[in-house]
Amino acid sequence: MNRLAEHPLQILDAKDLTAFMDALAAGFDLQVPLVAGDATRFGPYRKDAPCDFSQTPPAHPAKTLLLPNPEVLFRYTKDAGGRITLSEDPLDADLRVALGVRACDVRAFEALDAVFLRRGRVDTAYQARRDSLCILGMGCVAPSPLCFCDRMGSHPFDTHGMDALIIPLTGGWVLEALTERGRKVLETAASLLRAASAEEKRQVAALRTKGRERKSGAPVDFEVLAGTVAASYKDPFWETLATRCLGCGICTFVCPVCSCFTLEDTGKTLSGGRQRAWDSCMFPAFTREASGHNPREGMDRRLKQRFFHKFSYSIENGEPPGCVGCGRCVEKCPAAIDIREIVDFFSAEAPDV
Amino acid sequence: MPQPYNTYLRETLQTLLREKELERWLAFEESSLPLKPRPVFPETSEACDTVVFNGFCVQNLATYLSRYKGRRIGVLVKGCDRRAIAVLVEEKQLAREDLFLLGVPCPGMLNRTQLLTEFPGLDADQIAEEGGHLSLKISGETRTLQREDYLLPACRVCHHRTPEDVDALLDPPPLDAPETEESFATIVSSVGEMPQNDRAALFASEFSRCILCYACRNVCPLCYCDTCFTDSLTPAWMTASPEPGNIFFYHVNRMMHMAGRCVACGSCEWACPEHIQLHLLFGKITADVRDLFAYEAGIDKDAPQPLSHFSEDDPDEQIG
């Protein structure tokens, strides 16, 4: 991605926000955090569908933009003569613009890239969606008390992987183009933008400093964590945690990094298809074999798998850590299983040599 | 809940753990999140020192008992926990004599989401539960709220707060909070009187948010099948993707299986990450079973479960 040498700050007044989104939507497939119940999740912008940029982060991860659930892999039809025709949906080629993606979710995209692009084979549909996604990210002025991205190597104003950064101020948004692609997208709404004043620049600098200095806890040393987690297979910690885990899929579905899937065949004799749907390692059926044997029958084994994958296997394999500190699973787990407590427990333990 | 009550509760648990030779208790302790106590399973006297009870101990603890079959377990039970255990015993999933049930007269559980939405950042030490009202201390000022206005939907219409047929009952109760006059009929009529299109739109909107995480099933004390129909591969009744067909199929079938068994504890709605109004479904089956069979699950212990019992006297006018 072509990073721009200079990042001029432009201002969008709050009153022009709808006009701004209309302008973007006229040129691109615009994805925004749509309101659904008391949550927000990314979906296509529509004038009549309310969106809300205040949830920090949006309740549902932005991975939905890269991993639709379900995702059709191919379709088939069978004609009267018994001839079967297979077809695939066209790959995404047109630019999609995601507005209001937070730094945690963008970091998570890199963990997804490792799975879908860099394990010796490329998932072409994923790559097409990834390449066509222009990320107009948003800085987190008021991070949730459950967020801990600062401990996971990021911070609320991290611009890594973004095409532009939005910083919400009281009277509107500050827009900062970071890449050539981001600049071009913002240009389509140029008539609504003006250069930032000295006072606005000062406010932005102050917010950035505050964001960068956020300290929700000690930064995590992933090498140490990977070692202690790897050595913890028989630690009673896991069994204690498993006593209250309900084995539902909330944590994996709201996790921006979790990407395990299942394949399902749909349709009838004459037409149908195969699709990919999100799965969860918390479900017993995830590893149940055709014989009926399940190597991860117990809840403790399934819990261990989830966290070993996040903090041990991913690091060992040279991939990004499986947690970006978004705090969503902490908020949503009915049994109050707190990934921060797991990180703390194993960060405090000396590696078992 | 005033601190002395938790001290009294802990001392009671410690005494009973020893005297009744219990392997462990199932109770609650505070978690890292405000207003969200989590289940705890203390095996020693010292481990009982973190136990608390307050208006946020929503989760039905009977759910965990299948993991301790045949063992001597003590359970702190609210009315709905007790009712779920009664159904589990009736369905031969548990042996009553294995359990020691310590009843807590329930004041009705509070809606955490509603409170945190109205009072962002509210912390446990800012809220005092006092009889029929809540006192909130927010930036130096005290706000008084009616407890009734913040009850969870299932708790608003519950008239079985104090567990019956327990081995010991906490006395005095933690709070003296009055019940409401409402019943499941109130919920059902509010939806039943809607025009059909509006009702369809309501359910479509609620269930469009479902992500098929199965928290509602897994938190349910009475969803204990070894293989849920959702996980069956031969036949595959449904697939994993959260499409409208799968979602409706799942929820309607689960409710069919719950009719005459659901104790209306509301844990499913409480656990739902999307706050889908599941009480509209379990409220309807609860009201229907009551109207049709004059039966309440986990209360009418001498009567057979209406939908899993056959009698030659059953009406058969619909059978051709």
Side-chain angles (χ1 to χ4, degrees):
Chain A
M1 226 182 309
N2 291 328
R3 301 288 283 189
L4 296 172
E6 284 184 31
H7 308 152
L9 298 181
Q10 293 175 290
I11 301 290
L12 172 73
D13 283 324
K15 64 174 172 42
D16 295 328
L17 179 56
T18 305
F20 175 73
M21 289 193 286
D22 287 341
L24 294 191
F28 312 102
D29 172 3
L30 180 64
Q31 302 281 327
V32 294
L34 296 174
V35 176
D38 52 13
T40 56
R41 62 172 94 184
F42 281 91
Y45 171 75
R46 285 202 334 256
K47 267 181 116 55
D48 60 343
C51 51
D52 177 7
F53 293 92
S54 69
Q55 272 188 2
T56 317
H60 289 275
K63 72 177 176 185
T64 51
L65 297 167
L66 300 179
L67 301 170
N69 185 24
E71 172 187 0
V72 175
L73 300 177
F74 63 80
R75 302 172 199 275
Y76 66 82
T77 53
K78 188 176 175 184
D79 65 21
R83 210 171 24 243
I84 294 169
T85 312
L86 292 180
S87 63
E88 290 181 30
D89 292 351
L91 297 179
D92 285 320
D94 297 338
L95 199 61
R96 289 189 305 158
V97 174
L99 189 62
V101 182
R102 307 291 173 150
C104 50
D105 280 356
V106 182
R107 286 275 172 181
F109 287 171
E110 297 201 333
L112 299 177
D113 291 347
V115 175
F116 291 95
L117 302 178
R118 283 200 281 280
R119 282 190 184 164
R121 63 174 70 85
V122 168
D123 184 311
T124 48
Y126 175 90
Q127 183 164 45
R129 278 191 291 270
R130 181 75 163 106
D131 290 346
S132 64
L133 191 67
C134 173
I135 302 166
L136 307 187
M138 181 172 271
C140 301
V141 174
S144 145
L146 306 180
C147 296
F148 55 105
C149 66
D150 54 296
R151 300 185 63 190
M152 311 309 268
S154 179
H155 62 82
F157 286 88
D158 191 353
T159 59
H160 187 85
M162 293 179 183
D163 291 285
L165 178 72
I166 299 163
I167 300 172
L169 295 182
T170 323
W173 285 357
V174 180
L175 306 171
E176 178 185 38
L178 300 164
T179 65
E180 184 55 26
R181 182 164 72 175
R183 192 187 63 75
K184 279 187 177 155
V185 167
L186 292 182
E187 217 169 59
T188 59
S191 64
L192 300 165
L193 308 179
R194 61 171 170 83
S197 67
E199 167 59 16
E200 283 158 343
K201 283 180 187 164
R202 197 196 56 75
Q203 284 181 38
V204 166
L207 282 172
R208 271 194 226 269
T209 306
K210 192 175 157 215
R212 259 197 289 267
E213 286 171 358
R214 181 169 197 255
K215 204 164 189 305
S216 64
V220 172
D221 183 329
F222 288 108
E223 291 298 324
V224 169
L225 186 61
T228 46
V229 168
S232 74
Y233 197 79
K234 292 189 173 160
D235 196 312
F237 175 87
W238 296 112
E239 216 174 310
T240 310
L241 206 61
T243 53
R244 66 172 197 276
C245 176
L246 292 162
C248 74
I250 293 180
C251 51
T252 51
F253 291 164
V254 301
C255 176
V257 176
C258 280
S259 62
C260 287
F261 57 83
T262 183
L263 295 177
E264 51 190 40
D265 292 333
T266 60
K268 302 213 170 70
T269 315
L270 295 180
S271 68
R274 176 163 296 171
Q275 55 190 28
R276 181 152 75 178
W278 295 3
D279 204 346
S280 170
C281 58
M282 295 289 98
F283 295 156
F286 185 71
T287 44
R288 186 172 295 136
E289 297 167 5
S291 66
H293 172 68
N294 190 348
R296 293 191 209 129
E297 189 66 59
M299 195 61 247
D300 57 332
R301 292 193 175 194
R302 300 203 289 280
L303 260 184
K304 257 186 273 198
Q305 163 61 24
R306 180 158 196 269
F307 294 108
F308 270 60
H309 189 179
K310 291 200 170 303
F311 297 126
S312 171
Y313 309 147
S314 55
I315 306 297
E316 276 174 31
N317 293 333
E319 295 184 352
C323 174
V324 292
C326 71
R328 291 181 177 102
C329 59
V330 183
E331 167 67 34
K332 294 293 186 187
C333 176
I337 289 176
D338 187 335
I339 197 169
R340 297 171 302 177
E341 293 180 346
I342 296 166
V343 167
D344 288 343
F345 182 83
F346 289 109
S347 294
E349 271 195 359
D352 196 358
V353 183
Chain B
M1 213 62 56
Q3 188 55 35
Y5 199 83
N6 284 332
T7 307
Y8 159 62
L9 172 60
R10 289 167 193 169
E11 287 169 2
T12 309
L13 295 185
Q14 285 159 342
T15 306
L16 290 169
L17 185 74
R18 198 173 54 242
E19 284 181 1
K20 304 295 174 187
E21 297 179 350
L22 306 176
E23 179 196 303
R24 69 179 73 222
W25 277 106
L26 302 195
F28 289 96
E29 66 178 1
E30 291 297 350
S31 77
S32 56
L33 268 71
L35 319 182
K36 194 170 176 179
R38 64 190 187 188
V40 66
F41 310 81
E43 295 171 81
T44 63
S45 188
E46 301 74 58
C48 292
D49 278 336
T50 61
V51 168
V52 297
F53 185 79
N54 56 44
F56 300 96
C57 298
V58 182
Q59 193 180 340
N60 196 312
L61 292 177
T63 305
Y64 291 103
L65 286 172
S66 64
R67 304 182 189 188
Y68 298 101
K69 273 185 190 177
R71 287 148 68 177
R72 182 81 175 134
I73 304 292
V75 194
L76 181 69
V77 290
K78 308 179 291 292
C80 52
D81 304 82
R82 178 65 190 97
R83 290 176 64 188
I85 290 169
V87 176
L88 289 167
V89 169
E90 192 181 341
E91 295 179 351
K92 301 191 170 47
Q93 298 301 309
L94 294 175
R96 173 67 180 87
E97 58 273 18
D98 289 342
L99 306 173
F100 185 91
L101 305 181
L102 174 64
V104 50
C106 176
M109 290 292 133
L110 298 166
N111 193 333
R112 172 179 194 264
T113 309
Q114 185 187 358
L115 279 161
L116 287 177
T117 306
E118 278 183 45
F119 308 99
L122 189 67
D123 217 336
D125 55 9
Q126 289 175 284
I127 179 165
E129 301 179 49
E130 294 159 355
H133 63 272
L134 308 171
S135 282
L136 268 55
K137 284 203 178 59
I138 296 168
S139 41
E141 285 180 39
T142 303
R143 290 277 304 269
T144 303
L145 311 174
Q146 290 305 306
R147 184 182 185 93
E148 172 181 327
D149 296 337
Y150 291 86
L151 290 176
L152 287 165
C155 303
R156 283 190 71 80
V157 297
C158 170
H159 299 290
H160 300 292
R161 288 176 170 183
T162 299
E164 290 174 14
D165 186 21
V166 287
D167 299 303
L169 189 67
L170 286 168
D171 182 29
L175 280 181
D176 186 16
E179 292 182 3
T180 74
E181 298 291 315
E182 295 172 32
S183 71
F184 279 108
T186 326
I187 297 175
V188 172
S189 63
S190 71
V191 178
E193 285 160 14
M194 292 168 86
Q196 194 181 352
N197 285 346
D198 293 359
R199 194 163 60 231
L202 169 70
F203 282 108
S205 158
E206 287 295 308
F207 288 101
S208 69
R209 305 200 301 274
C210 177
I211 57 173
L212 287 181
C213 68
Y214 299 115
C216 50
R217 175 194 68 187
N218 289 21
V219 79
C220 175
L222 298 168
C223 273
Y224 55 73
C225 291
D226 281 342
T227 302
C228 178
F229 67 88
T230 63
D231 294 335
S232 164
L233 293 176
T234 45
W237 299 109
M238 59 180 284
T239 61
S241 49
E243 297 174 300
N246 283 334
I247 292 170
F248 272 103
F249 180 81
Y250 161 61
H251 286 286
V252 170
N253 269 283
R254 193 175 94 82
M255 277 305 137
M256 300 265 284
H257 291 177
M258 296 309 297
R261 306 172 60 239
C262 174
V263 296
C265 65
S267 286
C268 51
E269 181 167 295
W270 167 83
C272 177
E274 289 293 314
H275 306 118
I276 294 168
Q277 298 184 65
L278 292 168
H279 70 272
L280 301 179
L281 291 188
F282 72 75
K284 170 68 174 159
I285 56 160
T286 304
D288 279 359
V289 167
R290 196 175 167 157
D291 290 349
L292 293 167
F293 303 101
Y295 180 86
E296 284 185 282
I299 297 291
D300 298 308
K301 286 190 274 298
D302 297 329
Q305 278 184 12
L307 294 169
S308 45
H309 180 82
F310 169 76
S311 155
E312 288 191 359
D313 303 332
D314 284 344
D316 60 359
E317 56 269 27
Q318 288 182 28
I319 300 174

